[in-house]
Amino acid sequence: MPATIGMLRQLLDAGELAPVGGTAFALTPALRESYTSGTTEELEYAALTDAARASLRLLGVDTEGENVEDKEPPRRVVVSADVDDVTLRPDLDDSAVKLSGPIAMAAVAAIHVDAPEAESAVRAAAAVIDDADLGDEDAELALGDVEDHELAWYAPQELPFLLELM
């Protein structure tokens, strides 16, 4: 599920996370068919990358009209969870799914977050993500720059400590 640091705080406080619009990303049959080869792990990574791009969109929404001092750190966030009740959404993307409701903390398998050194690349990519979708080459380069940064992996029980360090 694409998320933001603020959404991670909500997950910790409420014990569940409701993805925006119920949208998440998974290894779907359509995603598997779109690749000529690849292990399950490689295809799951492709879905994770799609979720990380969607996180950029959430950051673009979060940054509109707020004071710089009040904002959370600009980091891509992806929450990986074990969920069975999903609806495929191939009309959106090969890996897109819709969740039926919030995801409980107990279902969270891992949390992926950018390191601090990715913040400037994240900020730049969040500002141009829509332009990249429309084929703007400079915007696509900005997305490439942010995707050069690997997301760090955290176990669910590390969430309080991760947020304390933000």
Side-chain angles (χ1 to χ4, degrees):
M1 296 171 286
T4 63
I5 298 297
M7 291 171 73
L8 287 181
R9 291 189 194 286
Q10 292 172 356
L11 171 62
L12 183 62
D13 292 345
E16 65 181 19
L17 177 65
V20 176
T23 301
F25 297 84
L27 173 50
T28 64
L31 181 62
R32 191 175 295 281
E33 290 174 13
S34 69
Y35 283 83
T36 57
S37 67
T39 65
T40 297
E41 186 174 289
E42 290 169 331
L43 297 175
E44 287 172 342
Y45 184 78
L48 176 80
T49 301
D50 289 344
R53 277 194 176 202
S55 177
L56 288 171
R57 292 181 192 292
L58 296 176
L59 290 170
V61 169
D62 284 349
T63 60
E64 291 178 9
E66 294 181 7
N67 294 328
V68 172
E69 304 83 40
D70 296 337
K71 286 190 250 177
E72 295 283 359
R75 312 255 184 102
R76 294 173 300 161
V77 175
V78 176
V79 176
S80 296
D82 296 317
V83 179
D84 293 324
D85 188 19
V86 300
T87 303
L88 300 177
R89 291 296 313 267
D91 56 313
L92 296 178
D93 193 80
D94 287 340
S95 64
V97 296
K98 183 165 180 127
L99 301 177
S100 61
I103 300 304
M105 180 63 128
V108 174
I111 299 165
H112 311 271
V113 181
D114 272 313
E117 53 269 8
E119 286 184 7
S120 63
V122 169
R123 196 176 285 110
V128 298
I129 183 93
D130 291 334
D131 295 335
D133 286 345
L134 297 173
D136 182 289
E137 290 182 23
D138 290 334
E140 289 176 14
L141 288 173
L143 283 182
D145 288 345
V146 77
E147 289 174 350
D148 286 342
H149 294 272
E150 291 291 326
L151 297 172
W153 181 94
Y154 297 91
Q157 61 269 27
E158 294 177 295
L159 181 58
F161 307 107
L162 170 65
L163 292 175
E164 186 177 312
L165 295 172
M166 292 285 160

